[in-house]
Every structure is written in C-alpha cells, then in structure tokens.
Amino acid sequence: MDNGSCNGVIECTALVLAESCTELEGRLTLFGILDEIRPGTGGETSFVVYAKFEGCEHVTARERRARILVTDEEGEVIMESAEYSVWIEGAEEPVAIVAVFELPEEFESGERLLWVEAVLDEETLAQTAVPLHDRYNV
C-alpha cells in the first residue's frame, strides 16, 4: 500500500468475554471463555472483557482513549469501563485492555441480548452480541 493513501488504520483484532482472568509475569490468562452470560449460583453475574487493538505500519504514535461498553438491544449503555489511555504505534505494538463488569441485579432475570463494544476515540471498532439467560434449571 502506498504510504500516501493510508492515514493509519487501527482495528480491534480481539474482543473476548471470559469468567475471569489473571496476569502473571506480564502474561494474561483468560478463564472460562463465554458465549453467553448466566448468573452464578450465588446470584452474582460478573465477567471480564478483553479487547486488543492493533495498527497498521502507518499509524503514528499519539494518545488515544479506549473503553468497553455493554449496551442493551436498543443501544442504551448499561455499563461502561473506565477510559484507558492507549498508545499505538505502527504494527509492532498492539495494546490490550481488560475490563471487569458486574451486571446489576435487575438484569439477572429474564432473557435478553446484550452487546459488548470496543470503542477507540469514540468510534466502535468491534462489537459482539451475547445472550443473557436465566439461571440453569436442574
């Protein structure tokens, strides 16, 4: 690609929901990858969201603002992470953020669809839908 035709592209190359995570010696491990959310046996409904942002070779280093949003089917924000300051320079330095969420109790009953969005500089770069289900019936 001609350098004159690219102003630098940044993509969200991973958007993953998990039950929990841990970091050891600079390496992040996600536990229990989720494709749906169900309240735990104690009524808690917590999960983590991992988002990885990568740029092309033409991206110039500057501060950007990243966050994770959880919205309902109408697009209304239910929860949002803190805003993270991220620096992405070229294709060599991807940046990952991890946000922990605890759903409010009023979302622990009924079935609905939630949207999880990775936002960079107020632009949604990736989103995924995740069903929220009632507790398992035994």
Side-chain angles (χ1 to χ4, degrees):
M1 178 181 282
D2 178 8
N3 192 14
S5 65
C6 178
N7 293 326
V9 176
I10 298 175
E11 296 179 314
C12 179
T13 57
L15 183 59
V16 181
L17 279 72
E19 291 177 3
S20 63
C21 68
T22 188
E23 186 175 352
L24 181 64
E25 296 178 6
R27 298 188 73 165
L28 183 71
T29 302
L30 299 172
F31 296 101
I33 304 301
L34 299 172
D35 59 0
E36 64 182 11
I37 298 173
R38 292 189 183 265
T41 55
E44 72 282 349
T45 308
S46 62
F47 59 95
V48 299
V49 178
Y50 167 87
K52 183 168 102 176
F53 300 97
E54 294 184 74
C56 75
E57 63 271 11
H58 304 115
V59 171
T60 56
R62 68 176 175 83
E63 182 180 27
R64 293 176 169 85
R65 310 303 289 172
R67 61 193 169 118
I68 304 296
L69 302 178
V70 177
T71 64
D72 63 16
E73 293 163 314
E74 287 80 41
E76 187 166 327
V77 175
I78 298 168
M79 297 178 295
E80 63 184 281
S81 71
E83 192 170 70
Y84 298 88
S85 173
V86 297
W87 291 80
I88 301 169
E89 181 176 5
E92 302 299 316
E93 298 293 327
V95 174
I97 62 173
V98 176
V100 179
F101 292 99
E102 179 76 39
L103 281 180
E105 286 186 31
E106 65 264 19
F107 287 94
E108 293 181 6
S109 63
E111 305 228 350
R112 64 186 71 204
L113 194 62
L114 299 179
W115 288 89
V116 178
E117 303 178 19
V119 177
L120 185 70
D121 289 339
E122 300 303 322
E123 179 183 351
T124 298
L125 296 187
Q127 64 182 5
T128 188
V130 59
L132 174 63
H133 295 287
D134 283 331
R135 300 186 202 304
Y136 287 110
N137 292 328
V138 182

